[in-house]
Amino acid sequence: MNKTNNGSCLCGAVRFVATGPLRGVVYCHCSQCRKQSGHYYAATNVADADLSIDGAEKLTWFMASPYARRGFCSVCGSVLFWKHNESTETSVMAGAFDTPSGLRGEVHIFVADKGDYYDITDGLPQYVRSTPDIKVADD
C-alpha cells in the first residue's frame, strides 16, 4: 500500500505520518510484545525516510534487548513503534493509525510463545519464530 497514513498515540502528544508503502500487518506473539501491550502486537512497517514524527520529545525508547527498542508515548503510555537496531524501517502499531488505514493481516510470528488464553483461527500463516524476510530481535 502506498498512500499517506496518519496516526497518533491515545492523547495526541505524539503524531506521525507514514508516506511510503506499508507492509501487511504482522501479529507477534512473543513474550516481550505480550508483556508490553497486554496482548500481542499487530504491526506494519515503513521505511525510516517515509516516517515523520511530531512530538518526538514525548516519545520514549525502551531498549528491550541488545538488538531492538520499543517506542511509546511518555504521556499516555501508548505503544507506537518497534525498531531493530540494524534496520532502515520502523514497525508501527497498526492500531495507532487513523482509519481507514487499508491495512490487512499477513502473518503470525512467535506462535510458540503465544498466550494460553486465546486461539489463532484466522487462517493466516503461522511461524514458530519468524519468517526469513521479517527481521526480529535475536535471542
Side-chain angles (χ1 to χ4, degrees):
M1 164 184 356
N2 195 7
K3 68 173 196 156
T4 298
N5 286 281
N6 299 304
S8 68
C9 63
L10 179 62
C11 72
V14 179
R15 297 184 177 279
F16 60 88
V17 178
T19 56
L22 300 175
R23 177 193 67 204
V25 175
V26 172
Y27 302 104
C28 183
H29 302 266
C30 80
S31 61
Q32 283 192 4
C33 287
R34 287 188 301 105
K35 289 196 179 274
Q36 184 183 31
S37 70
H39 198 35
Y40 53 84
Y41 262 23
T44 184
N45 70 359
V46 64
D48 292 342
D50 295 334
L51 179 65
S52 61
I53 301 171
D54 288 328
E57 70 279 0
K58 299 293 185 188
L59 188 59
T60 296
W61 288 95
F62 172 67
M63 293 298 297
S65 75
Y67 309 98
R69 60 193 187 273
R70 297 162 180 274
F72 62 94
C73 175
S74 63
V75 178
C76 67
S78 292
V79 178
L80 298 169
F81 307 112
W82 184 90
K83 177 80 173 143
H84 194 284
N85 297 340
E86 297 175 0
S87 180
T88 58
E89 298 177 322
T90 298
S91 289
V92 182
M93 299 307 109
F97 284 99
D98 299 338
T99 57
S101 70
L103 293 169
R104 297 287 177 260
E106 182 175 294
V107 66
H108 294 270
I109 61 174
F110 289 95
V111 297
D113 294 342
K114 79 169 202 61
D116 60 357
Y117 58 92
Y118 63 92
D119 295 315
I120 303 170
T121 60
D122 58 16
L124 294 173
Q126 299 181 27
Y127 293 86
V128 170
R129 188 164 192 279
S130 188
T131 71
D133 58 333
I134 298 174
K135 189 177 241 353
V136 296
D138 294 332
D139 296 311

